[in-house]
Amino acid sequence: MHQPGPGIKPATENYTMPSYKLIYFNMRGRAEIIRYIFAYLDIKYEDHRIEQADWPKIKPTLPFGKIPILEVDGLNLHQSLAIARYLTKNTDLAGKTELEQCQVDAIVDTLDDFMSRFPWAEKKQDIREQMFNELLTYDAPHLLQDLDTYLGEKEWFIGNSEQQMFHPRHGAASAAACHQKWLRVSVLTRVS
């Protein structure tokens, strides 16, 4: 019997961890948050990486034709943030109360709104680089200022312990485990 990792609250003593298979491209992208959560919670999973050349054959077989997909005991889940919320639901990473869970969701969604503006699908490298640079130069500082204002004098974005979401000054131990690497940028901006 596989025991749940730290922070997971099994419903019964005879709890058996589901079988997980993460399906995504052979890159970080939208699956990286899921990998961070698996690593942080010490959950074993199969990390199935798809090569770009195989994508046209695989795409029509998937729900909504998109990845990442997390197979949980054969059931396909899609959407990276929905998967992340599922994996953290019974842990303190998602917040201890419904109010904290809402705060976590709001910060994650704020970061996702920003990430969604990036031209991931742009084929022309020069145009993509220009758009990335403009977002990072003009828009990222505003986002970081908003996050800094939201943080105020608090040490944590939500909650008051490392087992909870988003400690902006302790990088990989909490923020990176819970959401994309964006908070590392705010750590560097705030601390330096």
Side-chain angles (χ1 to χ4, degrees):
M1 175 171 53
H2 187 273
Q3 293 297 315
I8 295 180
K9 303 171 190 169
T12 68
E13 206 158 296
N14 294 326
Y15 179 81
T16 301
M17 185 67 74
S19 170
Y20 296 113
K21 179 179 179 181
L22 178 62
I23 302 168
Y24 195 66
F25 294 115
N26 190 15
M27 61 188 303
R28 291 180 178 158
R30 293 219 172 247
E32 198 66 5
I33 179 178
I34 300 163
R35 293 184 188 114
Y36 282 143
I37 292 168
F38 278 134
Y40 187 81
L41 296 175
D42 193 28
I43 296 174
K44 294 187 186 319
Y45 70 103
E46 179 185 345
D47 191 4
H48 182 76
R49 308 258 180 145
I50 297 172
E51 296 302 326
Q52 291 287 340
D54 299 327
W55 178 238
K57 294 179 291 189
I58 296 169
K59 182 176 180 170
T61 68
L62 300 173
F64 303 97
K66 295 184 178 184
I67 51 178
I69 295 288
L70 180 64
E71 286 184 12
V72 182
D73 291 335
L75 175 68
N76 285 341
L77 303 176
H78 69 287
Q79 291 290 346
S80 58
L81 295 182
I83 294 166
R85 287 177 176 120
Y86 161 75
L87 292 171
T88 60
K89 190 167 190 81
N90 293 317
T91 72
D92 289 343
L93 292 176
K96 290 182 179 180
T97 67
E98 288 180 7
L99 186 59
E100 285 182 357
Q101 289 167 3
C102 183
Q103 290 175 298
V104 168
D105 285 347
I107 289 178
V108 169
D109 290 345
T110 297
L111 293 170
D112 188 59
D113 285 349
F114 183 72
M115 293 293 295
S116 295
R117 296 176 59 205
F118 281 85
W120 304 110
E122 175 59 54
K123 302 283 187 221
K124 296 179 182 176
Q125 184 67 20
D126 58 331
I127 293 174
R128 184 170 49 179
E129 283 182 25
Q130 178 185 352
M131 293 172 75
F132 267 90
N133 287 336
E134 287 176 9
L135 283 168
L136 292 173
T137 301
Y138 300 110
D139 297 354
H142 296 290
L143 172 64
L144 296 175
Q145 181 59 52
D146 288 345
L147 289 170
D148 192 60
T149 300
Y150 184 83
L151 180 65
E153 297 301 316
K154 301 178 296 193
E155 186 176 358
W156 305 87
F157 276 114
I158 285 86
N160 59 6
S161 73
E162 189 171 307
Q163 287 293 304
Q164 288 185 275
M165 191 78 163
F166 293 141
H167 184 294
R169 296 181 187 96
H170 291 94
S174 57
C178 304
H179 194 59
Q180 303 169 21
K181 299 175 185 176
W182 279 100
L183 287 183
R184 284 195 236 173
V185 176
S186 69
V187 171
L188 295 174
T189 302
R190 184 166 177 113
V191 174
S192 57

